[in-house]
Amino acid sequence: MTDGFGVRWTVRARQLRGTGTPPPRPGPEEESLRRRLTAALSRLPAPAVAGGTGDWRLPADTADVEMQATFAEFRDTPMRQGTAPWAVGHAVRLVGEAIAHLRTPRSETWEVELVARGRIRRWARWQITGADAAAQALATVAAGVGAGRVPEPWAATLVDVVDQRPPYRPQPVA
């Protein structure tokens, strides 16, 4: 589907294994997610914060930070020095975790995801209980975005919003 600004979006639902993402705490965390969702659905990215560090990553983008922490953790390990037994042990552990994940039964928790198409990552995820409620939330999100509104599906909990567009910086007119 395409919104009023010409951005193409995909809306999908999937059933989760396990318990899913813990819901945000009511109050500031929940309000922050709603503000980030409004900014992610707007035509322009959120404005740059005055006095900020100039970093283009928003707080929702933790993947780079987590990767750096992982690399720092394994910087002085035997893997870095080229010993294979350490790598084999970790490979066995990773395969065991993957098999355990496959055996995890599906839950009644569904995830409704709104994803922008294109090279810049933008998405929002809601979680809801029940297949019928997920289908209704899917239709609500699609209709809301198509009409240019911020979707608020009933009984669904907004759990994640990512908008990695660089912050908007108005250019001075010369």
Side-chain angles (χ1 to χ4, degrees), residues 3-91:
D3 68 5
F5 304 118
V7 177
R8 296 182 319 159
W9 295 88
T10 300
V11 184
R12 58 185 172 217
R14 65 184 177 106
Q15 191 173 9
L16 298 178
R17 296 182 184 274
T19 58
T21 306
R25 287 182 228 111
E29 187 176 356
E30 190 175 24
E31 290 303 316
S32 172
L33 282 173
R34 290 184 202 281
R35 282 193 305 272
R36 290 194 334 229
L37 176 61
T38 303
L41 294 175
S42 68
R43 181 174 175 266
L44 296 174
V49 179
T53 61
D55 192 6
W56 63 271
R57 283 183 284 136
L58 295 178
D61 179 28
T62 59
D64 293 333
V65 175
E66 290 172 3
M67 282 177 43
Q68 288 174 355
T70 303
F71 288 141
E73 178 184 347
F74 295 114
R75 183 173 296 130
D76 298 321
T77 62
M79 180 67 174
R80 186 88 177 206
Q81 299 167 1
T83 55
W86 183 85
V88 171
H90 281 289

Side-chain angles (χ1 to χ4, degrees), residues 67-170:
M67 282 177 43
Q68 288 174 355
T70 303
F71 288 141
E73 178 184 347
F74 295 114
R75 183 173 296 130
D76 298 321
T77 62
M79 180 67 174
R80 186 88 177 206
Q81 299 167 1
T83 55
W86 183 85
V88 171
H90 281 289
V92 169
R93 180 182 55 85
L94 290 173
V95 169
E97 288 176 3
I99 291 172
H101 175 71
L102 291 175
R103 292 183 180 171
T104 304
R106 292 191 184 270
S107 66
E108 279 299 308
T109 303
W110 286 74
E111 183 174 87
V112 175
E113 189 174 40
L114 173 68
V115 181
R117 295 183 187 173
R119 65 184 182 94
I120 297 178
R121 299 187 312 171
R122 280 198 291 173
W123 72 77
R125 293 183 309 140
W126 291 265
Q127 287 184 358
I128 193 164
T129 303
D132 294 337
Q136 183 178 7
L138 192 70
T140 302
V141 169
V145 171
R149 296 186 318 262
V150 176
E152 292 186 23
W154 183 78
T157 303
L158 183 63
V159 293
D160 187 25
V161 177
V162 170
D163 182 4
Q164 290 189 341
R165 295 178 293 176
Y168 175 70
R169 291 186 179 92

